[in-house]
Amino acid sequence: MVRYEVVRVKPPWSSGYLYGVFGRAEWNGIWVPAAAAVPLSGDLGAVAALSEKCTALQLSPEQLMDVASDFISQTAWEP
């Protein structure tokens, strides 16, 4: 099982926060880091919806970068 969640970062060049997706995979009962795509957007709602969808569909961690690339190309960048 893989679980994706929103991560918040504060880049030095911005006064606000940016959000990305962090994936954890269950391995022998322990949740270990599996994939990360940070930052993606300044839109928390959009990134939260993406992480929920990735979890619901059980996206493979190897595919997260492709999904993140598609997400960025389909949304307006708002730092």
Side-chain angles (χ1 to χ4, degrees):
M1 174 167 204
V2 182
R3 179 174 58 199
Y4 293 92
E5 54 198 51
V6 175
V7 293
R8 180 177 79 168
V9 295
K10 183 156 183 12
W13 67 85
S14 174
S15 60
Y17 291 99
L18 297 175
Y19 304 94
V21 176
F22 185 75
R24 298 177 195 269
E26 187 176 19
W27 185 71
N28 290 333
I30 300 171
W31 291 96
V32 296
V38 180
L40 292 179
S41 174
D43 184 346
L44 174 58
V47 176
L50 177 65
S51 66
E52 289 171 12
K53 189 170 191 176
C54 290
T55 298
L57 296 174
Q58 284 298 285
L59 179 75
S60 169
E62 293 84 12
Q63 295 177 313
L64 182 59
M65 291 310 294
D66 289 334
V67 169
S69 177
D70 290 345
F71 175 85
I72 290 170
S73 69
Q74 294 174 11
T75 59
W77 177 255
E78 295 179 23

